[in-house]
Amino acid sequence: MGPELKKKITKTLKWLVSFAIAVLLLYLSFRSVKWDEFFAGLRECRFWLILLSMVASTAAFFLRAARWREIMKPLNKDIGFGETFDGINIGNISNFAFPRAGEFVRCGVISATGKLSYDKVLGTVVLERSWDMLTLFAILAAFLLIKWQDFGDFAMQQMWKPLSESLSFSLWWIVAAAIVLAGAAALLIYRTRGTNRVSAKICSIIKGALQGFASAFRMEKKWRFLLYTIAIWVIYWLMSYLTMLSLPKLDALNATDAIFLMLIGSIAWAIPVPGGFGSFHILVSLALTTIYGTEYNEGLAFATLSHEAQALTMILCGIVSLVRIARSNVRRSGR
């Protein structure tokens, strides 16, 4: 069996496992649904608010593209907004096929233009996602401080505790072991970088990534990057709030509750299953039923509308970008 075949088999197996997890989570989400009540709730939906949330989602893609371009300007000012917008969109739809592959795919979209190497583009993505993680953690910390009784209890009872109880040892041993193994692997790669091609390649990628990350400190208008980041997360909150307002039975919830649901949704999207299917539905509906005592059917209706509206927006924007790139390639080949 050749190395290429092994690689394809490994990728296929990873995708099958990820797909199976998504199917299992969807089954767990919908297995106890009272379908008459579920569809009755959907029929009451104010769909014009869902359309507004999709418009807001598209605006977030534009802002993410503008922010990403801002990071890459110190590396190459010739990179255009359209190229970063296409990279964002194609990366999004790639996640429906292979979880978390989108970050690498959008690097390929930019590097294919010949304006920046893949390694340096990867560094800018690391920077961008790092800022998003910091923002998410900052909001999480605010909730832990201000609303521990609601948010903290959900995190402990529905996420950490079930996982801990399913194991015969503490989860902290896994965390400690992961840190030790990561440190040992990093040391081995560093010491063999001059004699091993794989180690040399990894070090080259890390070097490029660090250069991309360092580009944040060379941005001419750092405040613009910060404003883009704030605006993106405000739009994420608005998407959650609009979807919440679309369901009459959730009228008792307010703007603060929408922030909480946005946080849970962001965590659910980060779980490595294709397109967040299953993980988003089960976590968001659990949050609504556990924290707010919402009927499970209503919680699942919110999760379904929220996820599918975002997924549809990603797919439509992705198709637009694929068509744009195809037309651009045809024009170049016709010269």
Side-chain angles (χ1 to χ4, degrees), residues 2-22:
E4 286 298 321
L5 181 58
K6 286 183 179 179
K7 191 174 181 180
K8 288 181 180 179
I9 291 174
T10 301
K11 284 185 176 181
T12 302
L13 288 174
K14 286 181 179 179
W15 182 85
L16 288 173
V17 170
S18 179
F19 180 77
I21 293 172

Side-chain angles (χ1 to χ4, degrees), residues 147-276:
K147 297 192 70 175
W148 170 258
Q149 185 174 356
D150 294 333
F151 187 79
D153 284 353
F154 174 79
M156 295 300 293
Q157 297 299 322
Q158 299 298 330
M159 300 167 76
W160 183 269
K161 190 176 178 181
L163 186 57
S164 299
E165 290 177 349
S166 67
L167 301 173
S168 57
F169 50 88
S170 173
L171 278 174
W172 292 112
W173 284 109
I174 297 179
V175 175
I179 293 172
V180 171
L181 288 174
L187 182 62
L188 179 63
I189 290 169
Y190 179 76
R191 287 190 171 182
T192 59
R193 68 190 187 283
T195 57
N196 185 280
R197 284 191 302 173
V198 175
S199 297
K201 181 62 177 176
I202 292 173
C203 288
S204 174
I205 292 173
I206 292 173
K207 183 179 179 180
L210 289 174
Q211 288 176 341
F213 191 87
S215 68
F217 302 99
R218 300 198 300 273
M219 284 188 288
E220 294 178 0
K221 298 178 180 178
K222 299 179 181 66
W223 59 267
R224 186 180 292 175
F225 174 84
L226 181 61
L227 285 178
Y228 282 145
T229 301
I230 293 171
I232 288 166
W233 281 89
V234 168
I235 287 178
Y236 288 162
W237 161 79
L238 181 61
M239 290 159 56
S240 178
Y241 190 42
L242 287 169
T243 307
M244 193 178 73
L245 291 176
S246 73
L247 293 169
K249 291 185 179 179
L250 297 183
D251 283 346
L253 304 184
N254 57 37
T256 304
D257 301 322
I259 297 176
F260 174 77
L261 294 174
M262 176 200 70
L263 290 170
I264 297 299
S266 298
I267 294 170
W269 274 105
I271 295 173
V273 293

